[in-house]
Structure formats: C-alpha cells, structure tokens
Amino acid sequence: MPDFSDRLPSAGRPALILASSSPYRRELLERLRIPFDVAVPAIDETPLPGETPEATALRLAEAKARAVAATLPANAGRTLVIGSDQVATFDGKQIGKPGTHERALAQLQAMRGREVLFHSALCLFDSASAEAQSVDVVTHVRFRRLPDATLDAYLRAETPYDVAGSAKSEGLGIALLEAIQSDDPTALIGLPLIALTRMLLAAGYPLLEAA
C-alpha cells in the first residue's frame, strides 16, 4: 500500500486512486489521460456462501475502494477511489483465474461452443461524502468450438493464466471468441470505462478539462 501521507488537496479537482493490482485496469484507466495513483487493497476475495456472482463482484469492488480510502491521511483532501472486480460464470458456477496451464486448458475445453457471463463490477467511492456509486456491467461471451491442439497453442502463446476465462479478448484470445455482447466494450478487459466516466462526471470530476 502506498504512503499517502504527503498527499495534498489538488486545486480544481479531487485526487484519484485506482484500488487494484491489475495491470490491465491500470492500462485502461490511462486511456482517460487523467492523473491517478494506484494502491493494492488488502481484502479477502473469497465468495460468501450462497452469494450470487453479481453480489460477489459488487461487494468486492466496493470493499477494495473502501479499504484503500481507509488508509488516506486526514489532510488528503477529497479523494475518489476506484474499485473494480470481475466474476465469470459458466453453468451457474463462478470461474476463477486458472493460475496454471492445465487448469486454463480445462476451462477452455469446458467453455467451447458455450456462453460465459462476465460480471464486471465498478465502485467509485468519495472520501469526502463517504458515498459510493456502484454498478455491475454484464458481458455475454460465446466461445468458438476449437480443438484441444488449438486451445493448447493459444495458451502457450499468450499465457493468460491471470485472467478469469483463460482468454485475453484484447489480444490473441479474441480468436477464441465467436461473439461478445456488452454495453461497455472495456468491461470484459476489467474496467468499464463508459460506466466509470459516467460516475466521474456525476461526482463533479472535470474529466475532459483534466485531460
């Protein structure tokens, strides 16, 4: 967790922090051309018993934002903290990050020719008001029917072992997908920018002026 003790209130706009360890979310936020810090929240991401995928994603997104906000010093000024979490579901079960080649191959084998739902939850927490804006953006992804050898070759080429669903749609993994349906094109990568910009504008953040 970064040390925010030297943070001073910014003139004209609140400070912005991305509460995430994900390099993908950081790269997406950089598209907005606004200054931000990154902090890794220390929370337990285990789903609760009986919790729906949407509820898990929303709870963890807000928990990440609040955990980072709780570390801010008293003189930090108004700070907006972005929390995000993604849960993939297939056949009613949550799909985690595979972690290994073997588990990733098993995921892709099970999902070929099938539809997977990705719940990309987003939270914007305002340290001044202690209010949180939250939303769950759902993306429907249909995987192509591909042979084991093709799936294995893809995994060895891109090694997507740190993403739920075992395929990076922003990279070579797009070749594994038959269709993507979503109201927010960056949600599948991990950070719904349409929803985020809407939240920032609602919070009074001078988005285009800052850029």
Side-chain angles (χ1 to χ4, degrees):
M1 188 78 69
D3 180 5
F4 296 114
S5 60
D6 294 332
R7 177 183 300 283
L8 295 176
S10 301
R13 64 170 179 260
L16 192 64
I17 300 176
L18 175 62
S20 176
S21 62
S22 168
Y24 312 113
R25 293 191 178 110
R26 180 170 186 164
E27 290 171 4
L28 286 171
L29 187 54
E30 287 173 347
R31 293 186 188 183
L32 300 184
R33 302 183 183 183
I34 53 179
F36 66 93
D37 289 309
V38 176
V40 179
I43 66 166
D44 181 359
E45 298 189 29
T46 305
L48 300 177
E51 191 173 42
T52 65
E54 177 183 6
T56 297
L58 286 167
R59 176 178 60 82
L60 293 179
E62 183 167 341
K64 291 175 182 179
R66 288 183 178 275
V68 169
T71 68
L72 296 172
N75 68 337
R78 186 187 181 208
T79 303
L80 301 177
V81 185
I82 302 167
S84 187
D85 190 78
Q86 187 178 78
V87 175
T89 62
F90 170 68
D91 279 350
K93 299 179 180 178
Q94 296 192 22
I95 304 171
K97 299 173 183 178
T100 67
H101 180 89
E102 291 72 24
R103 284 198 287 266
L105 181 59
Q107 279 190 1
L108 293 178
Q109 289 171 330
M111 295 185 300
R112 58 185 158 198
R114 305 290 299 279
E115 184 177 81
V116 179
L117 299 184
F118 288 80
H119 292 268
S120 302
L122 178 69
C123 174
L124 185 67
F125 181 79
D126 189 330
S127 69
S129 63
E131 294 181 352
Q133 301 181 60
S134 297
V135 67
D136 173 39
V137 179
V138 182
T139 302
H140 298 252
V141 178
R142 180 166 292 277
F143 283 74
R144 288 183 169 135
R145 292 186 178 275
L146 297 171
D148 289 350
T150 300
L151 299 178
D152 182 79
Y154 162 71
L155 292 174
R156 296 187 186 281
E158 198 157 54
T159 60
Y161 307 137
D162 60 344
V163 295
S166 303
K168 296 181 181 179
S169 63
E170 69 275 23
L172 181 59
I174 197 70
L176 275 61
L177 309 182
E178 191 171 80
I180 298 175
Q181 295 180 333
S182 177
D183 293 332
D184 206 324
T186 61
L188 184 57
I189 306 174
L191 189 66
L193 290 183
I194 289 178
L196 177 58
T197 53
R198 181 171 61 246
M199 289 179 175
L200 288 171
L201 291 171
Y205 190 94
L207 190 60
L208 296 177
E209 293 87 340

